[in-house]
Amino acid sequence: TVGAVACDANGNLAAATSTGGMTNKNFNRIGDTPVIGSGTYANNQTCAISCTGHGELFLRAVAAYDVSCLMEYKGMNLQQAMEIVTLDKLVKINGEGGMIGVDGNANTAMIFNSEGMYRAMQHSRGEKQIAIYK
Amino acid sequence: MGDFSIAIHGGAGTILKKDLTPELEAAYTKGLADAVASGYEVLSKGGNAIDAVTAAVISLEDCILFNAGKGSVFTKTGGHEMDAAIMNGISLEAGAVAGVSSVKNPVLLAKTIMEKSEHVMLSGDGALQFAKQQQLQLEAEDYFFSQFRYDQWQLVKNENSAALDHNIQLEKKFG
């Protein structure tokens, strides 16, 4: 599953996700990717999130929107909210995978509970990262 | 002009270091670098976040290494069914597509659904019909084929379960 989140120079946020799904899937199975709030979510007031991993668990956790809710209702920052959802809530239901996020100040986070996540980021301040493993 | 940024992912899971040769790691790194550069270029020219995430995801869909668009995994029946979604943080507008075949870039279909339909989510044959109506680029089944994904499917196709693409070990049957 691939995805991207961005904050533009005006502070506007967007998220997009795309996938071929699971190998050997049957019965027109779909995962979290096309379900707004589970795999993809963007709200200028909080964050933009794109998820990757075992879609059924991200669906049950409503993972992307949950990050936004933690920021909106509990006042958490992006990193804190993503860590709670990815490293605590998803782990407790065996939801393997991760997510990327950005907030309105162009802060980014890339959090995962699996062995690796193909990921990259670039910031206008000059920071740039490409990585696979922890 | 304020700060701007982009982040991308190309999948997560049990990515075994021993299976990732230096050549393959270099190819994945290049695929990630190309995608983040595509999105960053949009932002650095003053473009908006929606166009940036679209450009980055198209780049990843067009790279055969990643499980989206070209190089998507195989279904139980040996085909490809793709899903995509996009959301605009300004307006909370969203577009999504599920279980679509033949569309070269499903993220573009999701964006078109967001911008040109009255719906949020379309699926299957109806989504393909809408893509044709909107003149999005279609591809034959062999465009989406990759030997690597085919070999993965061969290992699990007689099982009754589906598998995350990164969790299938070529030397060890999943499930």
Side-chain angles (χ1 to χ4, degrees):
Chain A
T1 302
V2 309
V5 294
C7 173
D8 63 32
N10 294 312
N12 294 319
L13 307 181
T17 316
S18 180
T19 188
M22 295 179 85
T23 301
N24 210 40
K25 66 180 181 176
N26 205 1
F27 310 118
N28 301 121
R29 175 264 185 193
I30 65 162
D32 62 302
T33 297
V35 179
I36 299 297
S38 289
T40 309
Y41 189 74
N43 183 338
N44 271 17
Q45 306 309 311
T46 52
C47 61
I49 300 289
S50 175
C51 300
T52 176
H54 195 167
E56 277 71 7
L57 287 310
F58 283 76
L59 278 166
R60 284 156 56 179
V62 200
Y65 183 60
D66 202 17
V67 173
S68 178
C69 287
L70 287 168
M71 294 176 71
E72 182 174 1
Y73 302 136
K74 296 199 84 174
M76 292 184 180
N77 66 35
L78 179 70
Q79 182 85 19
Q80 291 169 333
M82 285 175 63
E83 284 182 356
I84 286 204
V85 175
T86 309
L87 305 181
D88 185 22
K89 298 182 85 168
L90 280 166
V91 167
K92 283 176 180 165
I93 58 170
N94 296 317
E96 184 188 19
M99 60 176 66
I100 56 172
V102 65
D103 67 19
N105 293 317
N107 298 306
T108 62
M110 303 185 285
I111 312 287
F112 54 100
N113 61 39
S114 49
E115 184 173 317
M117 180 169 80
Y118 297 102
R119 62 197 187 278
M121 59 77 61
Q122 189 166 0
H123 195 288
S124 56
R125 289 194 297 259
E127 188 184 354
K128 193 174 178 180
Q129 183 187 352
I130 300 174
I132 299 173
Y133 298 100
K134 286 180 180 171
Chain B
M1 194 161 157
D3 280 334
F4 54 88
S5 65
I6 183 164
I8 64 163
H9 63 77
T14 308
I15 304 163
L16 297 178
K17 283 183 181 173
K18 66 181 179 62
D19 292 338
L20 201 64
T21 63
E23 294 79 15
L24 202 52
E25 185 170 358
Y28 273 107
T29 299
K30 182 180 185 305
L32 294 169
D34 289 347
V36 81
S38 297
Y40 190 82
E41 184 180 10
V42 172
L43 296 173
S44 64
K45 290 178 176 174
N48 65 45
I50 278 286
D51 290 340
V53 296
T54 304
V57 171
I58 286 173
S59 177
L60 292 162
E61 287 179 338
D62 290 348
C63 178
I64 200 166
L65 294 171
F66 301 107
N67 178 22
K70 186 176 189 173
S72 286
V73 299
F74 286 81
T75 66
K76 182 78 175 174
T77 56
H80 299 92
E81 291 176 0
M82 299 170 288
D83 310 325
I86 192 165
M87 188 162 183
N88 189 337
I90 302 173
S91 56
L92 305 186
E93 289 174 302
V97 59
V100 73
S101 301
S102 305
V103 176
K104 184 186 180 194
N105 292 113
V107 72
L108 274 181
L109 177 53
K111 185 169 184 273
T112 306
I113 290 166
M114 177 176 74
E115 292 173 345
K116 296 184 178 176
S117 85
E118 59 183 312
H119 308 296
V120 169
M121 188 173 183
L122 301 179
S123 68
D125 290 341
L128 178 57
Q129 186 183 339
F130 181 76
K132 289 176 179 173
Q133 189 183 89
Q134 296 295 320
Q135 300 182 313
L136 296 186
Q137 187 171 345
L138 306 181
E139 293 290 349
E141 191 66 19
D142 60 354
Y143 169 83
F144 300 95
F145 179 91
S146 73
Q147 191 63 50
F148 169 63
R149 299 298 185 196
Y150 183 79
D151 292 343
Q152 283 186 330
W153 177 53
Q154 294 305 301
L155 290 173
V156 297
K157 72 176 189 178
N158 293 321
E159 306 282 340
N160 286 322
S161 58
L164 291 177
D165 55 312
H166 301 302
N167 290 6
I168 301 171
Q169 298 172 43
L170 292 180
E171 77 281 12
K172 184 183 173 187
K173 225 173 178 183
F174 180 90

